[in-house]
């Protein structure tokens, strides 16, 4: 059976070259709703792509309205064992300016009112207290770092991600507080996806793309946050994803599945 890899593209990332020439639209029904995916093939592996914010430019699904449960469950139904998500972020680090790429190592979850768990029922459900000490798959992160080195694409590693509820941007005071806590980048999606993946034993890695200096970190006011043109990064991202997907060992050698068993 072919290996199955999921990709969640967000702001600025289209399916582009990652799906090969014979990409197909498919719909997967889940207990959480139906999900529209693109299915293709890359380097002999089956690739499933979800555009996190939807496919209709006129009706973008905002980060707090994404049906995260349905998306991750759909991948699981298809037999996907590894998911790579792209994450547009604001940067709290001067040395991670707009246009930089990095890998998330940790997150702090400040979302509220989202369904961030598949476990909504009885206390006897197995695996409810999953181990999130290391929320991102270390094998995926290592594969990204060696692909980056080979391709000459610098990647900042072990970034600490602050996940906010959105869709508003943060206040300058919030960003100051997040920086004191150790936050390095801020976004609105990655923590929720990482948690749901861990609950289902799916490996998850997050490629962070710095879009702007976080609120209050640059001269401009929040309303003047300059969004980096993600199109400029797309070529590098496609090259990285292609190399990572080719390099991943068929059998997972990470701890994600063990950590999903819970206590
Ligand atoms: N804050 C939250 N999410 C973001 C930002 C930000 O500054 N930039 C891109 N996504």
């Amino acid at each position: 059976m072919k290996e199955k890899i999921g990709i969640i593209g967000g702001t600025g990332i289209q399916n582009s070259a990652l799906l090969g020439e014979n990409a197909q639209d498919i719909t997967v029904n889940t207990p959480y709703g139906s999900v529209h995916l693109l299915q293709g093939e890359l380097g002999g592996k089956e690739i499933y792509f979800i555009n996190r914010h939807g496919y209709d430019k006129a009706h973008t699904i905002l980060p707090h309205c994404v049906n995260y449960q349905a998306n991750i469950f759909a991948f699981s139904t298809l037999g996907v064992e590894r998911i790579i998500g792209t994450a547009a972020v604001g940067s709290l680090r001067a040395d991670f300016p707009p246009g930089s790429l990095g890998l998330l190592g940790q997150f702090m979850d400040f979302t509220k009112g989202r369904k961030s768990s598949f476990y909504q029922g009885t206390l006897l459900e197995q695996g409810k207290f999953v181990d999130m000490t290391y929320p991102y798959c270390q094998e995926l992160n290592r594969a990204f770092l060696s692909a980056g080195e080979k391709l000459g694409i610098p990647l900042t590693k072990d970034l600490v991600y602050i996940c906010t509820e959105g869709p508003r941007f943060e206040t300058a005071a919030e960003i100051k507080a997040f920086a004191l806590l150790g936050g390095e980048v801020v976004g609105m999606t990655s923590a929720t996806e990482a948690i749901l993946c861990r609950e289902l034993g799916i490996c998850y890695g997050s490629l962070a793309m710095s879009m702007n200096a976080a609120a209050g970190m640059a001269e401009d006011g929040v309303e003047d946050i300059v969004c980096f043109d993600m199109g400029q990064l797309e070529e590098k991202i496609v090259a990285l994803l292609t190399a990572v997907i080719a390099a991943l060992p068929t059998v997972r050698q990470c701890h994600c599945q063990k950590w999903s068993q819970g206590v």
Side-chain angles (χ1 to χ4, degrees):
M1 213 169 62
K2 273 193 201 138
E3 236 181 291
K4 296 175 178 184
I5 313 256
I7 298 174
I8 305 177
T11 310
I13 299 303
Q14 306 304 320
N15 49 312
S16 60
L18 291 167
L19 293 160
E21 282 171 11
N22 301 314
Q24 288 177 12
D25 285 313
I26 58 167
T27 300
V28 176
N29 296 314
T30 79
Y32 308 96
S34 61
V35 179
H36 176 203
L37 302 96
L38 299 173
Q39 176 183 10
E41 201 182 309
L42 185 72
K45 295 179 182 168
E46 240 167 74
I47 309 295
Y48 293 95
F49 179 92
I50 291 179
N51 190 331
R52 186 186 287 125
H53 300 298
Y55 301 85
D56 179 355
K57 286 211 168 87
H59 298 100
T60 300
I61 305 166
L62 293 168
H64 67 306
C65 296
V66 171
N67 191 343
Y68 295 97
Q69 288 175 307
N71 286 351
I72 304 302
F73 201 89
F75 281 127
S76 175
T77 303
L78 290 163
V80 165
E81 289 188 334
R82 295 178 171 112
I83 297 175
I84 300 166
T86 58
V89 298
S91 177
L92 282 68
R93 276 176 58 163
D95 63 349
F96 193 64
S100 309
L101 292 172
L103 295 163
L104 302 186
Q106 287 286 325
F107 68 68
M108 296 185 213
D109 188 4
F110 288 89
T111 62
K112 43 198 166 197
R114 288 185 193 182
K115 291 251 166 70
S116 299
S117 173
F118 289 109
Y119 301 114
Q120 307 285 336
T122 77
L123 279 171
L124 295 176
E125 283 172 319
Q126 254 195 330
K128 58 198 178 292
F129 298 123
V130 295
D131 190 332
M132 288 300 289
T133 312
Y134 302 105
Y136 297 99
C137 175
Q138 293 168 326
E139 186 171 59
L140 269 174
N141 275 358
R142 277 194 302 273
F144 265 105
L145 290 175
S146 56
E149 246 168 60
K150 274 194 202 125
L151 294 166
I153 299 173
L155 293 171
T156 304
K157 63 178 182 174
D158 296 330
L159 287 166
V160 178
Y161 178 91
I162 301 287
C163 196
T164 61
E165 179 65 12
R168 67 168 178 86
F169 284 123
E170 300 69 39
T171 66
E174 285 170 332
I175 291 297
K176 233 188 230 175
F178 291 148
L180 285 173
L181 290 174
E184 297 178 303
V185 292
V186 58
M188 304 174 190
T189 57
S190 179
T192 315
E193 288 173 358
I195 297 165
L196 294 170
C197 281
R198 179 61 50 84
E199 286 190 346
L200 296 186
I202 299 173
C203 297
Y204 182 73
S206 214
L207 179 63
M209 316 173 295
S210 174
M211 290 185 81
N212 56 277
M217 302 289 295
E219 296 289 297
D220 300 334
V222 177
E223 72 276 16
D224 294 324
I225 282 179
V226 179
C227 283
F228 188 81
D229 175 9
M230 281 295 138
Q232 291 180 42
L233 279 183
E234 188 146 356
E235 209 175 302
K236 280 187 198 168
I237 291 167
V238 169
L240 273 171
L241 289 173
T242 307
V244 167
I245 288 167
L248 284 170
T250 306
V251 178
R252 295 189 282 174
Q253 279 144 27
C254 57
H255 300 290
C256 296
Q257 240 177 333
K258 191 180 98 196
W259 290 334
S260 76
Q261 303 303 307
V263 290

